[in-house]
Amino acid sequence: MIPSLFVAHGSPLLAIENNEYTKFLTQLGQNMPRPKAVILFSAHWESNVQKVSDVDQYSTIYDFGGFDEALYKIQYPAHGNQQIAKEIEGLFTESGVPFEFDTQRGLDHGAWIVLRLLYPNADIPVISMSVNSRLTPEEQYKIGKTLSALRAQDILVIASGGTVHNLRAVKWNDNGQVDQWALEFEDWLAYHLEKWDLTTLFKYDSLAPNAEIAVPPYGSEHFIPIFYAMGAADDSRNATLLHRSFRYGNLSHSVWQFG
């Protein structure tokens, strides 16, 4: 059964950079079994009701400003898959998960940057999904768990966000030094993910060291996708850290495999 993934999407500059992390993601896409389709939860698509994209071909959304002009010329014209969207409809209905279809929205940079590094040809169908930071971690986990059966069909669930993502704390003049508070948070998170300690993880905001800096209340949408990815692997409950690096002092590039 194909695993699920949590993938940090970092800065939009990753789309045009060639560094340790972009090389890792490119290699990961080449080494993993090719999925039939990708279901992707993006931190940059927030909604109060779960959204499920039902789009034939996606436009590319440039939901950022002030970056290199080359970024705004990138296209990632992935297609959707109506049959899989219908399967998701059935699973959500059966599990009592409220949802709405979206037939218009393109792929935001949390989605297309990750997908383009993993699958540069845009030749794998994508179902884009919103996240809801107003839900409890238990509810976010349940939504992911509802989709776990699709992994048996070689459908890859990806959650795109960032485990340490505080734009008010980043140091754009990167000197290669990593802030101790970010390391402490990441080490705590890794310990409890590997133990699949849901009781503790669901209370990360009060139990994790430096949680108020690593996951500020105004930026929790980047952290919570990890619960969707975990839920999608509830049947196996195995967590593996595939990659961890940092940019700008504390912006983490973490990739977790679940299942």
Side-chain angles (χ1 to χ4, degrees):
M1 184 180 290
I2 200 165
S4 62
L5 296 175
F6 173 86
V7 182
H9 60 249
S11 159
L13 291 171
L14 285 178
I16 55 174
E17 289 178 330
N18 181 21
N19 56 38
E20 173 192 3
Y21 187 45
T22 61
K23 289 175 183 175
F24 169 80
L25 289 178
T26 298
Q27 198 65 45
L28 179 63
Q30 294 170 357
N31 292 342
M32 282 186 64
R34 182 179 172 85
K36 172 185 172 184
V38 173
I39 296 172
L40 190 143
F41 291 89
S42 173
H44 287 277
W45 188 8
E46 289 192 89
S47 64
N48 291 332
V49 176
Q50 180 63 54
K51 299 283 190 175
V52 180
S53 65
D54 186 8
V55 173
D56 179 38
Q57 184 173 35
Y58 291 95
S59 59
T60 306
I61 301 174
Y62 309 102
D63 49 337
F64 46 78
F67 288 94
D68 192 304
E69 279 300 313
L71 281 172
Y72 304 93
K73 297 177 182 177
I74 293 174
Q75 298 284 321
Y76 192 81
H79 286 268
N81 185 296
Q82 198 166 53
Q83 178 184 343
I84 295 172
K86 277 289 184 186
E87 288 190 60
I88 293 170
E89 176 184 22
L91 292 170
F92 280 167
T93 301
E94 183 180 348
S95 297
V97 175
F99 73 96
E100 295 174 356
F101 281 120
D102 184 286
T103 60
Q104 302 293 326
R105 195 176 190 275
L107 295 176
D108 58 65
H109 81 272
W112 64 259
I113 286 177
V114 169
L115 290 169
R116 186 167 171 267
L117 287 165
L118 292 171
Y119 307 113
N121 296 325
D123 54 355
I124 295 176
V126 175
I127 308 296
S128 185
M129 309 281 278
S130 66
V131 300
N132 185 355
S133 60
R134 295 173 180 82
L135 297 178
T136 64
E138 292 91 338
E139 291 169 321
Q140 293 151 357
Y141 187 95
K142 177 190 174 183
I143 291 171
K145 183 178 178 180
T146 301
L147 303 174
S148 60
L150 297 177
R151 290 172 43 237
Q153 300 179 33
D154 292 328
I155 295 173
L156 174 63
V157 177
I158 298 177
S160 171
T163 46
V164 177
H165 187 280
N166 185 342
L167 296 184
R168 297 182 188 175
V170 298
K171 301 167 181 173
W172 296 109
N173 296 322
D174 195 349
N175 63 3
Q177 295 293 314
V178 181
D179 290 337
Q180 186 63 29
W181 61 263
L183 286 171
E184 290 174 359
F185 178 86
E186 286 284 353
D187 288 345
W188 180 94
L189 181 63
Y191 177 82
H192 292 285
L193 285 174
E194 288 167 356
K195 295 173 80 69
W196 211 271
D197 181 3
L198 295 179
T199 301
T200 302
L201 288 166
F202 287 166
K203 298 177 181 176
Y204 75 90
D205 55 345
S206 60
L207 297 179
N210 312 307
E212 71 283 357
I213 314 172
V215 189
Y218 58 82
S220 63
E221 77 285 339
H222 274 75
F223 181 78
I224 55 114
I226 204 163
F227 294 125
Y228 295 88
M230 288 186 78
D234 180 77
D235 52 352
S236 59
R237 298 196 165 199
N238 181 49
T240 305
L241 180 61
L242 300 183
H243 178 91
R244 187 176 81 174
S245 58
F246 292 86
R247 294 285 296 280
Y248 314 118
N250 51 62
L251 185 66
S252 66
H253 291 160
S254 296
V255 178
W256 282 92
Q257 176 178 295
F258 301 115

